[in-house]
Amino acid sequence: MSYQSQPKASHFVNGAYLEDSAGAPIEVIYPATGKAIARLHAATPAVIEAALSAAETAQKQWAAMSGTERGRILRRAADIMRARNRELSQLETMDTGKPLQETLVADATSGADALEYFGGLAATLTGEHIPLGQDWAYTIREPLGVCVGIGAWNYPTQIACWKGAPALACGNAMIFKPSETTPLSALKVAEILVEAGLPAGLYNVVQGLGDVGAALVGDARVAKVSLTGSVPTGRKVYAAAAEGIRHVTMELGGKSPMVIFEDADIEDAVGGAILGNFYSSGQVCSNGTRVFVQRPILEKFLERLTARLASAVIGDPMDEATNFGPLVSQRQIEIVQGFIEKGKAEGARLVTGGKRIDREGYYLGPTVFADVTDDMTIAREEIFGPVLSVLTFDSEEEVLERANATPYGLAAGVFTRDLTRAHRVAAAFEAGTCYINTYNLAPVEMPFGGSKLSGVGRENSKAAIEHYSQLKSVYVAMGPVDAPF
Ligand code: NDP
């Protein structure tokens, strides 16, 4: 791999790169060419043990530092990430295939936001004083200990920071296992944190497949597990964490609705549907893949959507003019093609796309189906690719019932000029993150997460603090002990 930012070894443990070539090889494939760009090794039991023991030792000293000192290191790391944004974005593009046009503004920058935000919060984390008449109590906000983060492959830098920043701000140590599909970027996050002054052992990265994740989740030294992944993996990880009564955050999949009323600004609605279905080639958990369009504007909506999709620049992700890149892997493109075939077979109308693009790499054109009904596979299952389904509706009451008729509850969006209706619909959505007249924005200041099968807990914002710390209560008696005998 020719990019200067290439990590130096497979793992990052106890403040330094670590290699153990006894681990099973992991080929890193550049999705735009399908060619291998790096070869890493999965963590052996020795690497996993080194990470766990380094984290356990380092965490106690880190927790004893003041929040101001911890925060200063995180904020310094944010500055380094911003200064190296281009180099980190190129690496993220190599890892995922996402266009540089996107990675320059959505990955290391989002990671830096999390480091800066939680770095700023670190000094403010306190307990409270509770008056009890003559007596009183106080609470101490304590870290949990060693936290494990397990990431999906669509936002490797962002996920590594969204989990690491709040964990470290609260005084925890983190062991992060990236997806085996995109193992490179998190190593750079670890490297930058150490450069910013993070003591060794507090942010470790170990590579591997699900078995490495499972070994971490099952270890008695681990206090918390935060997973970003699919619902089936979430079930397994949640169950394994339950064995040790560990804290969990589960950021899982979705099948989110986007509801477009006839009074909506049509260009904004089309823009929202594009953002919520084709950004990152559709590989975004919160995507609004069920686009409900009110009947009178259906044809107009489809016409503007297809016209705007025709201007997508599909090509080399390293070319900054490109705004639509490949899918992450051969496996993912096959999964998505399978859904497209099901859509056709079950009677949906293919409006545009649906085909693999004739070039090397895993390119699949932006795909739109119309005449989709609620029972079709493409309207029920998470596709995780550039496939938008258009459904039609007549009334608000009807669309809300249909929008919520899913076991998922990650996100939802509404487009309308009617302010009262917008808030009424947002209140009725069964989803953790809702949008009015926009879609898929995830600023660090706003809680992000799912309801129903889409997850447990919240990332970002002050809400994340609750998921990386716990309260100790101390009762203080100011008088004699009143015992019955
Ligand atoms: P997977 O669920 O396949 O994998 C997620 C991570 O879990 C990977 O690192 C995987 O390792 C690891 N893993 C797999 N099995 C186990 C196990 N038994 N114990 C511990 N760890 C395990 O998800 P994908 O990587 O395919 O990502 C796509 C999914 O992630 C989609 O469903 C998407 O909706 C969801 N997602 C959710 C987001 C959210 O914030 N809600 C954001 C982004 C994605 P490996 O793959 O290396 O084997």
Side-chain angles (χ1 to χ4, degrees):
M1 181 180 158
S2 58
Y3 287 86
Q4 54 171 352
S5 53
Q6 183 175 10
K8 298 182 185 72
S10 298
H11 318 287
F12 197 97
V13 172
N14 205 15
Y17 277 103
L18 175 68
E19 193 54 89
D20 182 351
S21 53
I26 297 173
E27 295 284 352
V28 186
I29 307 290
Y30 181 36
T33 61
K35 300 205 169 68
I37 50 163
R39 173 181 257 230
L40 273 57
H41 293 275
T44 54
V47 170
I48 296 171
E49 177 54 36
L52 283 163
S53 68
E56 191 186 28
T57 308
Q59 189 267 326
K60 291 184 179 58
Q61 286 164 5
W62 179 242
M65 282 166 63
S66 76
T68 306
E69 289 170 310
R70 289 199 300 266
R72 191 177 302 135
I73 292 169
L74 299 187
R75 285 184 291 107
R76 213 180 283 139
D79 290 344
I80 299 173
M81 285 194 87
R82 288 212 182 87
R84 298 207 191 131
N85 183 40
R86 177 159 290 270
E87 177 195 327
L88 295 168
S89 303
Q90 286 169 341
L91 186 72
E92 173 91 8
T93 291
M94 298 297 284
D95 230 0
T96 60
K98 292 184 293 182
L100 193 56
Q101 191 191 95
E102 281 189 20
T103 56
L104 282 169
V105 297
D107 294 282
T109 52
S110 163
D113 283 355
L115 290 163
E116 185 173 2
Y117 179 86
F118 288 106
L121 272 190
T124 72
L125 306 179
T126 58
E128 62 178 340
H129 168 265
I130 304 161
L132 299 168
Q134 175 185 254
D135 294 348
W136 53 284
Y138 62 95
T139 59
I140 306 172
R141 187 168 287 281
E142 295 185 333
L144 300 174
V146 176
C147 301
V148 164
I150 301 177
W153 42 256
N154 56 347
Y155 281 84
T157 305
Q158 186 187 85
I159 295 171
C161 292
W162 281 19
K163 298 191 189 307
L168 293 171
C170 292
N172 302 286
M174 163 72 52
I175 303 175
F176 187 75
K177 190 206 81 72
S179 164
E180 145 245 0
T181 311
T182 53
L184 302 176
S185 306
L187 291 165
K188 297 305 283 189
V189 174
E191 198 185 305
I192 286 169
L193 280 163
V194 166
E195 197 180 320
L198 187 74
L202 289 168
Y203 190 93
N204 308 277
V205 177
V206 299
Q207 308 293 348
L209 283 81
D211 59 328
V212 172
L216 290 168
V217 174
D219 192 277
R221 287 164 285 189
V222 171
K224 193 227 156 87
V225 181
S226 176
L227 169 80
T228 297
S230 61
V231 171
T233 304
R235 279 204 181 91
K236 281 190 229 162
V237 173
Y238 202 168
E243 198 58 38
I245 319 288
R246 297 188 179 93
H247 296 245
V248 294
T249 299
M250 295 281 144
E251 291 291 348
L252 309 177
K255 191 73 198 172
S256 302
M258 189 181 291
V259 176
I260 301 171
F261 286 95
E262 61 176 316
D263 68 342
D265 180 300
I266 197 89
E267 291 306 324
D268 280 349
V270 169
I274 289 172
L275 275 182
N277 282 275
F278 302 116
Y279 202 72
S280 302
S281 294
Q283 303 164 117
V284 180
C285 52
S286 46
N287 271 357
T289 49
R290 291 183 294 141
V291 179
F292 291 91
V293 180
Q294 206 161 17
R295 201 173 303 277
I297 57 164
L298 176 66
E299 288 314 319
K300 177 82 183 147
F301 177 83
L302 287 175
E303 182 195 312
R304 289 301 303 140
L305 180 64
T306 38
R308 285 177 62 174
L309 286 181
S311 67
V313 182
I314 305 174
D316 174 5
M318 287 296 172
D319 180 345
E320 275 180 61
T322 298
N323 54 27
F324 187 91
L327 296 186
V328 77
S329 64
Q330 175 65 26
R331 179 170 169 265
Q332 195 60 20
I333 203 168
E334 283 168 11
I335 291 172
V336 177
Q337 282 177 307
F339 278 109
I340 291 171
E341 290 316 311
K342 279 204 182 110
K344 289 192 224 162
E346 292 175 17
R349 168 162 62 103
L350 183 64
V351 177
T352 185
K355 284 196 287 292
R356 201 167 169 153
I357 290 168
D358 185 22
R359 56 176 292 153
E360 62 173 1
Y362 312 123
Y363 287 82
L364 184 84
T367 301
V368 176
F369 279 108
D371 303 342
V372 177
T373 54
D374 298 353
D375 56 333
M376 289 180 187
T377 308
I378 55 170
R380 287 186 292 106
E381 295 184 22
E382 184 180 46
I383 300 175
F384 225 60
V387 183
L388 182 160
S389 293
V390 177
L391 304 94
T392 318
F393 74 96
D394 295 300
S395 74
E396 180 182 319
E397 191 188 9
E398 168 212 337
V399 78
L400 275 173
E401 195 182 319
R402 291 169 61 200
N404 287 333
T406 167
Y408 296 108
L410 190 52
V414 55
F415 283 82
T416 175
R417 285 196 175 96
D418 180 337
L419 203 61
T420 316
R421 175 158 64 194
H423 293 290
R424 192 169 58 232
V425 168
F429 277 143
E430 295 171 1
T433 312
C434 296
Y435 297 96
I436 295 175
N437 292 333
T438 188
Y439 205 80
N440 257 0
L441 303 176
V444 68
E445 297 87 346
M446 184 177 95
F448 181 85
S451 58
K452 304 203 279 189
L453 286 190
S454 293
V456 174
R458 292 292 177 267
E459 294 198 299
N460 288 341
S461 80
K462 283 178 262 180
I465 298 300
E466 299 301 325
H467 301 290
Y468 283 100
S469 62
Q470 60 193 341
L471 291 176
K472 173 185 279 173
S473 299
V474 181
Y475 188 107
V476 183
M478 299 298 284
V481 173
D482 180 17
F485 49 83

